[in-house]
Amino acid sequence: MSLSPTAAAPIVTRNRLAVSLMFLANGFLVGSWAPKIPEFAARLSLDESELGLMILAFGVGSLCAMALVGAAISRVGSSRVVRLTAVLAVPSLLLVTLAPAIWSAAVALFILGGVVGGMDVAMNANAVEVEKHERRAIMSSCHGFWSLGGVFGAALGGVIIAGYGTFVHALAVTALAMMAVAIAWPRLLADPPPAHQRPLGGSQSADRSQASRPGLMSVGATVWLTGVICLFAMTPEGAILDWGALYLRQELGASPALSGLAFGAFSAAMALMRFLGDIVRDRFGAVNTFRVSSVLAIIGLGVAGLASSPEAAIAGFALTGLGLANMVPIAFSAAGNLPGLPQGLAISVVTFMGYSGILVAPSVIGFIAEHTGFALIYLSLPVLIVVALVFSRLTRHADMTPG
């Protein structure tokens, strides 16, 4: 069944606005971290390998929180978990800014990664619930708000840090994120806990019996393969977020202000395409949209890796953003709409695997880049997109609702 809206359903509802604002706040926090990375490394005298370990702490914190958040959603529903993680995430960047030494900074990054990552899982689960409740595709636009937040965070961060310093920047980020969360708080869709929803009907013994059937085993494999798609689509995003600015500055001679546009241009292009993504997906279907997006991402990464100037690399990152924009939202919707599995279970698996690419893979990239340089890294990443393209047929579930 298509996710087409009913005639009377408004395009913008209070539930959609609320979850979109949560995506905006989360993206703003992550985008605000990007321009702080060079200053963070310089303040603590970190080389690429040591900074890679710091980023690894961020990623480990996120992945640990994702497992806990998945269990929490199954017990109390996504809306309560979104609220809790949002409150904890709002002041998290301030902790990183105030950390005086390497070990305290590592702990602060672990906490930042945990609350931001946990919030990410919960708000994606809530977006799937809103999508089903309103019978309308909204996932791409929700991720568009995340990208828009990343643009604001990256763009404002460089200006505020240059003019007023890192502490004032952290205070400004905290205040703005708090405003977005406060507006969204009472408007979130109050969803029932997924554990209270019987995925296949009948008794628990019947569920266990059906879970052993080959068809459900195939569905389980589809969930993991969809997670692989997210993993390979989000790894380039993490590479640009954490290393794009250093690539422009160290290998292409960009100024500090220009280097901040690496993630900014990427996020701006991604936000633009994601706001168009739901319309494009309804018009051409999830599979075709995913395939064309993959080709654009491959070309963009190639341009960035072969660039001889900062401007050319920024253009390549922007093209990559256009390509990657709708790949992950389509995969999330596909996982949430798989028949025969609870939506919460599928989303938690796919999110965990996908965010491993954006949170953990960049630390590995840092170690490799210390010996090879970042240009070769960006020229190698298209291989991952090709693998995701091979499994693109699995995204057909994004065009359907269960049953």
Side-chain angles (χ1 to χ4, degrees):
M1 186 179 296
S2 173
L3 277 173
S4 57
T6 60
I11 295 177
V12 180
T13 64
R14 58 186 281 117
N15 298 146
R16 183 175 185 176
L17 172 64
V19 73
S20 297
L21 282 173
M22 289 297 187
F23 273 86
L24 180 71
N26 190 278
F28 181 68
L29 289 169
V30 175
S32 297
W33 159 240
K36 290 178 71 70
I37 293 176
E39 177 277 334
F40 178 82
R43 177 166 61 90
L44 298 176
S45 301
L46 304 175
D47 59 23
E48 282 88 350
S49 296
E50 292 168 335
L51 183 57
L53 287 174
M54 288 292 187
I55 294 173
L56 180 61
F58 181 98
V60 171
S62 292
L63 295 179
C64 290
M66 285 176 183
L68 297 175
V69 166
I73 292 173
S74 68
R75 297 174 68 89
V76 300
S78 65
S79 59
R80 292 184 181 180
V81 181
V82 171
R83 292 188 178 101
L84 174 61
T85 52
V87 168
L88 296 176
V90 164
S92 56
L93 198 65
L94 194 58
L95 291 178
V96 176
T97 303
L98 296 175
I102 291 178
W103 286 108
S104 59
V107 172
L109 277 177
F110 181 88
I111 295 172
L112 172 65
V115 293
V116 168
M119 179 182 175
D120 210 314
V121 175
M123 68 191 187
N124 272 289
N126 192 260
V128 171
E129 292 294 340
V130 174
E131 197 171 54
K132 293 178 179 180
H133 178 73
E134 300 187 1
R135 303 188 61 79
R136 183 193 305 276
I138 71 162
M139 186 64 78
S140 287
S141 63
C142 283
H143 282 254
F145 278 101
W146 188 94
S147 298
L148 190 62
V151 172
F152 289 154
L156 291 176
V159 175
I160 296 177
I161 290 173
Y164 302 98
T166 57
F167 181 69
V168 173
H169 168 251
L171 287 177
V173 169
T174 300
L176 291 173
M178 187 182 301
M179 290 175 56
V181 171
I183 295 172
W185 185 282
R187 297 171 174 83
L188 282 170
L189 175 66
D191 56 321
H196 297 168
Q197 302 169 359
R198 195 168 306 284
L200 299 174
S203 65
Q204 293 182 358
S205 60
D207 290 344
R208 287 193 295 268
S209 174
Q210 293 188 47
S212 64
R213 294 181 181 178
L216 289 184
M217 292 177 63
S218 176
V219 171
T222 301
V223 171
W224 287 105
L225 288 175
T226 305
V228 169
I229 291 175
C230 283
L231 171 64
F232 288 172
M234 296 182 79
T235 296
E237 184 175 349
I240 297 171
L241 166 64
D242 290 320
W243 300 114
L246 287 178
Y247 170 51
L248 264 62
R249 183 179 299 189
Q250 294 181 358
E251 298 185 22
L252 298 177
S255 66
L258 190 61
S259 64
L261 292 178
F263 185 66
F266 172 83
S267 294
M270 179 176 278
L272 173 64
M273 185 55 68
R274 280 179 168 173
F275 284 118
L276 299 174
D278 295 324
I279 299 173
V280 172
R281 193 179 92 186
D282 287 341
R283 175 65 178 84
F284 299 103
V287 175
N288 289 332
T289 303
F290 187 92
R291 288 172 177 170
V292 173
S293 298
S294 300
V295 173
L296 288 175
I298 291 170
I299 296 173
L301 288 168
V303 170
L306 293 172
S308 58
S309 67
E311 291 79 9
I314 291 171
F317 288 145
L319 185 58
T320 304
L322 292 177
L324 295 179
N326 293 308
M327 294 176 66
V328 172
I330 287 174
F332 279 178
S333 286
N337 289 318
L338 281 174
L341 280 180
Q343 169 256 319
L345 173 62
I347 286 291
S348 63
V349 170
V350 170
T351 303
F352 182 91
M353 294 183 65
Y355 280 89
S356 298
I358 198 173
L359 299 172
V360 177
S363 64
V364 179
I365 289 173
F367 288 110
I368 298 175
E370 190 172 7
H371 303 286
T372 65
F374 289 108
L376 184 60
I377 293 293
Y378 291 119
L379 286 175
S380 302
L381 289 174
V383 175
L384 302 181
I385 307 299
V386 171
V387 176
L389 186 58
V390 170
F391 294 109
S392 60
R393 181 61 183 164
L394 298 177
T395 63
R396 67 189 183 277
H397 297 286
D399 290 330
M400 298 185 296
T401 56

